[in-house]
Amino acid sequence: MSEIRNGLVMKSTGSNYLVRLEDGSRLSCRIRGKIRLEERDTTNPVAVGDKVQVDWSGDTQETPVIVEVEPRHNYIERKSVNLSKKAHIIAANIDRCYLFVTLFAPETHLAFIDRFLVSTESMRIPTTLVFNKIDLYDDAALDLMQDIIAIYEPLGYPCIPISAINGIGVAALKDDMRGKQVVLAGHSGAGKSTLINALFPEAQARVGEISESHFKGQHTTTFAEMFELGSDVFLIDTPGIKSFGLVDIDKHVLSHYFPEMRAAMEQCKFHNCQHINEPKCAVRPLVESGEIAASRYETYLTLMEDDEETHYRKNKF
Ligand code: ZN
């Protein structure tokens, strides 16, 4: 007799879906017929991170079938390169994204952080900045890190300094991840894999499958995969940092994805103020007084001027 069970999609190959049931067991599922889609036209009705209902009799001779997908509270998508205009949902229901930042070896530029945060803001993904490799920092570097934290923390982006090598901050980060579906992001070499191994040594063998190369932006797969770390952390490994690119962000709403501008712009004289050279703009005085960081405003101007292609050519990310 068939029975409906709740599950979580861990992996998808396009036709098969690995679903984790609430008791921790895993089933290879198919989807049946018409799954109710959201209004958006997507190439894949079911994505990693989706909460689903599975119809299965319990008989191993029968293939379990996904019959329902719960509404997503957010998702990462990639526009198809063909003309269908359909989007591919890479991962869904991300509770928090952790962006790895290193001051050197390699240096993470502030413009990169800003651009990344615009993307996660637009996708409604809460984001934390993780300052890794602080064991390498001298006093000057630690001061610089505090300056950067002073820019981002007041904007609602928690900052966690850590050293995966000597364990500083690692417990705090692990605590923060508990009970969440999370995504880690950052330049190759920012120490993502080392950190996962420090956080979850018991999962080391499995995590070996998570490749740093995913973060180099050159890869063929478009499928994400979710890893269960410890008992209550679900790490979604997404293919390619470019999936966080500024796809289709209307420049008229770009400032909405800068929280400090969002708070001020209701006071702008013109409803459609772009905060560049309009009279009685409420944002620009805050830049002049330093209440809005000059670096953040500069990134805003650059994004207003740039198109995607120019940006990649100039900045290589
Ligand atoms: Zn304005």
Side-chain angles (χ1 to χ4, degrees), residues 30-50:
R30 292 176 184 279
I31 53 175
R32 179 169 57 199
K34 287 197 164 68
I35 293 243
R36 187 170 49 80
L37 295 174
E38 296 175 359
E39 311 92 75
R40 291 298 311 276
D41 213 6
T42 58
T43 55
N44 56 328
V46 177
V48 167
D50 270 333

Side-chain angles (χ1 to χ4, degrees), residues 67-98:
V67 293
E68 188 73 45
V69 181
E70 290 183 25
R72 301 169 177 131
H73 66 79
N74 62 23
Y75 51 86
I76 301 171
E77 69 174 346
R78 168 183 293 164
K79 285 277 161 14
S80 296
V81 287
N82 61 30
L83 295 172
S84 71
K85 305 269 192 229
K86 287 185 176 181
H88 177 84
I89 307 288
I90 293 172
N93 300 320
I94 297 141
D95 295 312
R96 186 158 288 274
C97 174
Y98 296 86

Side-chain angles (χ1 to χ4, degrees), residues 43-273:
T43 55
N44 56 328
V46 177
V48 167
D50 270 333
K51 293 178 171 68
V52 295
Q53 290 181 357
V54 175
D55 187 354
W56 187 46
S57 65
D59 179 350
T60 51
Q61 299 298 311
E62 285 177 25
T63 305
V65 177
I66 295 171
V67 293
E68 188 73 45
V69 181
E70 290 183 25
R72 301 169 177 131
H73 66 79
N74 62 23
Y75 51 86
I76 301 171
E77 69 174 346
R78 168 183 293 164
K79 285 277 161 14
S80 296
V81 287
N82 61 30
L83 295 172
S84 71
K85 305 269 192 229
K86 287 185 176 181
H88 177 84
I89 307 288
I90 293 172
N93 300 320
I94 297 141
D95 295 312
R96 186 158 288 274
C97 174
Y98 296 86
L99 175 62
F100 277 58
V101 172
T102 43
L103 298 188
F104 51 85
E107 179 186 0
T108 310
H109 295 278
L110 294 187
F112 174 83
I113 298 174
D114 294 337
R115 180 182 159 81
F116 190 91
L117 292 174
V118 165
S119 295
T120 53
E121 284 282 339
S122 75
M123 294 183 280
R124 290 173 294 151
I125 300 172
T127 304
T128 293
L129 303 185
V130 177
F131 291 80
N132 195 13
K133 303 189 184 182
I134 62 166
D135 51 291
L136 299 177
Y137 295 180
D138 59 13
D139 286 349
L142 288 171
D143 284 349
L144 176 59
M145 179 182 77
Q146 289 306 335
D147 291 345
I148 297 173
I149 290 175
I151 294 175
Y152 293 99
E153 212 152 49
L155 302 179
Y157 305 112
C159 296
I160 305 181
I162 64 159
S163 164
I165 300 291
N166 63 19
I168 295 170
V170 167
L173 182 57
K174 190 173 179 174
D175 265 0
D176 201 70
M177 290 181 171
R178 280 191 196 289
K180 296 189 178 85
Q181 293 181 195
V182 305
V183 167
L184 307 191
H187 288 306
S188 171
K192 186 180 64 117
S193 298
T194 314
L195 176 88
I196 295 168
N197 291 334
L199 287 178
F200 305 97
E202 70 282 3
Q204 189 144 3
R206 304 225 16 250
V207 171
E209 300 162 32
I210 301 178
S211 161
E212 285 273 355
S213 69
H214 271 187
F215 285 79
K216 288 175 184 160
Q218 294 296 325
H219 53 83
T220 50
T221 178
T222 52
F223 294 108
E225 181 168 1
M226 183 139 65
F227 294 86
E228 190 175 352
L229 304 178
S231 57
D232 58 355
V233 177
F234 294 92
L235 173 71
I236 302 170
D237 193 30
T238 60
I241 198 145
K242 280 186 183 173
S243 54
F244 286 95
L246 285 175
V247 180
D248 271 1
I249 289 185
D250 181 350
K251 289 187 177 171
H252 291 97
V253 298
L254 179 63
S255 55
H256 293 253
Y257 303 129
F258 285 76
E260 66 273 59
M261 291 196 196
R262 199 160 61 213
M265 64 191 168
E266 278 179 23
Q267 306 301 321
C268 294
K269 178 166 190 209
F270 296 105
H271 171 67
N272 59 352
C273 184

Side-chain angles (χ1 to χ4, degrees), residues 4-10 18-23 25 49-54 68 70 181:
I4 299 293
R5 302 153 203 253
N6 294 321
L8 178 62
V9 178
M10 306 289 288
L18 185 66
V19 175
R20 180 194 189 275
L21 299 182
E22 284 171 336
D23 65 6
S25 63
D50 270 333
K51 293 178 171 68
V52 295
Q53 290 181 357
V54 175
E68 188 73 45
E70 290 183 25
Q181 293 181 195

Side-chain angles (χ1 to χ4, degrees), residues 265 268-270 273-276 278 280-284:
M265 64 191 168
C268 294
K269 178 166 190 209
F270 296 105
C273 184
Q274 297 194 3
H275 327 299
I276 297 175
E278 294 86 347
K280 302 211 171 153
C281 169
V283 169
R284 278 204 337 276

